Amino acid sequence: MLERHELETFLVLAEELHFGRTAERLRVTTARVSQTIAKMERRLGVPLFERSSRRVRTTPAGRELYAELRPAWDRVTTAVRRTMDTGRGRAGTLEVAFVDAATGQLLVRAAELFRARLPDVAVRLREAQPAQVIPWLHAGEIDMALDMVPFPAEGITAGPDLVTEARLLAVPAAHPFADRTAITLADLARVTVLRLPPEIPAAIRDIRTPPATPAGHPIPAGPTAATYSELLTLVAAGQGVFPIGAHARRYNARPDVAFVPIRDAPPVRWALLWRTAGEITAVREFARAAADIAA
């Protein structure tokens, strides 16, 4: 069986028909090229090149070998390169999830810019429920997700903030809070706050729906729901209230729900998340494209 360096030397010499130029392309000595070709000819039992002091040309056997070997060599090297590119995040498909329709629009624009920079990487956008983000990331079902931060989950890295918005309280349209210009976090002790599903780690749930006010007064916990649409449906039905980002006024507007600013609440921050161990080139480049779009 011929070795890789022998095949490569043969192909280059068959194209250059010059030992010196072949040596330069392969970054070896001219003597090494001559020795390699001579070894191939001995092993095959046929001359591959005719040599003289003035020129080098392929023999009929050499031309036939080149015609058969060149396409196969190109396919092999292309396959190897694509495999390496995929492993390094320069080819393949990047799976990116969003948990809210509003943030999905940002990802669409980021994907367009990303594809212009890395055209060999396709982007597939998927909607995820809040409880699916961590399992999907850890399982490798998605490569990235756009979600609220902070996001204290082991093995998950958060990129820089892409969107920052005011935090509002979704309440039934007939609720006493609906007529107020703003409320405070202390007011949450007087209402039932809906919760995210228990599949989400407690640390994340407590950040988004705190169990107590800043003064330590407990906040009554209401039913849970898997999606933001379900949460707002429960709000409209009078089963509780829910803190949400300001984008809800535009993207989740409905006549049976009012949105009241929470004056002293920290803003809602959105960022891309990915597995710390899965930070390949495509992940870094998509995060950069999203940051450029957000800016």
Side-chain angles (χ1 to χ4, degrees):
M1 182 67 67
L2 297 175
E3 297 182 8
R4 181 183 183 278
H5 78 277
E6 294 175 324
L7 298 175
E8 188 173 17
T9 301
F10 166 76
L11 289 171
V12 175
L13 183 58
E15 293 165 356
E16 295 290 347
L17 296 177
H18 190 281
F19 280 84
R21 290 195 298 268
T22 298
E24 289 178 2
R25 279 181 58 178
L26 297 176
R27 298 183 180 180
V28 298
T29 64
T30 303
R32 176 67 181 274
V33 173
S34 180
Q35 292 166 2
T36 299
I37 296 300
K39 182 179 179 182
M40 283 185 65
E41 292 175 326
R42 287 195 302 271
R43 294 174 68 179
L44 294 174
V46 294
L48 300 174
F49 296 92
E50 295 177 359
R51 309 160 177 81
S52 71
S53 59
R54 306 182 69 175
R55 69 176 182 177
V56 177
R57 63 180 181 181
T58 52
T59 64
R63 288 192 291 273
E64 182 177 353
L65 179 59
Y66 180 85
E68 294 285 345
L69 183 58
R70 180 80 264 178
W73 182 262
D74 289 342
R75 288 194 297 271
V76 169
T77 54
T78 297
V80 171
R81 185 180 66 253
R82 286 178 176 171
T83 299
M84 294 174 65
D85 285 346
T86 299
R88 294 169 180 169
R90 293 187 176 276
T93 301
L94 193 70
E95 303 272 352
V96 185
F98 59 92
V99 295
D100 189 277
T103 58
Q105 291 191 352
L106 187 153
L107 292 183
V108 169
R109 296 171 59 200
E112 293 174 353
L113 178 58
F114 170 81
R115 282 192 292 263
R117 295 174 175 176
L118 281 182
D120 290 334
V121 183
V123 178
R124 182 186 177 204
L125 300 180
R126 304 175 58 183
E127 185 173 11
Q129 296 180 6
Q132 293 173 320
V133 172
I134 293 177
W136 282 8
L137 283 172
H138 282 316
E141 190 166 342
I142 57 174
D143 299 294
M144 309 181 79
L146 183 56
D147 205 339
M148 295 182 195
V149 290
F151 198 91
E154 185 177 357
I156 302 298
T157 295
D161 292 356
L162 298 178
V163 177
T164 301
E165 58 182 346
R167 196 176 302 260
L168 311 179
L169 188 68
V171 302
H175 194 278
F177 286 175
D179 294 329
R180 294 173 58 171
T181 57
I183 63 167
T184 66
L185 289 172
D187 290 321
L188 296 182
R190 302 163 48 197
V191 293
T192 298
V193 176
L194 302 175
R195 302 291 176 175
L196 293 171
E199 293 81 4
I200 296 177
I204 296 176
R205 285 186 283 121
D206 289 349
I207 290 173
R208 300 183 188 178
T209 52
T213 68
H217 299 297
I219 297 175
T224 64
T227 68
Y228 293 114
S229 178
E230 289 180 11
L231 285 164
L232 291 178
T233 298
L234 293 179
V235 170
Q239 296 191 34
V241 301
F242 189 75
I244 198 166
H247 72 272
R249 277 180 166 166
R250 176 179 178 183
Y251 291 94
N252 302 99
R254 45 190 299 169
D256 48 4
V257 175
F259 299 96
V260 187
I262 308 176
R263 183 183 301 119
D264 54 348
V268 175
R269 298 158 44 213
W270 296 85
L272 282 167
L273 312 170
W274 59 84
R275 291 187 316 282
T276 305
E279 189 174 322
I280 57 177
T281 298
V283 167
R284 291 191 296 271
E285 287 300 315
F286 192 90
R288 187 166 70 90
D292 291 344
I293 290 296

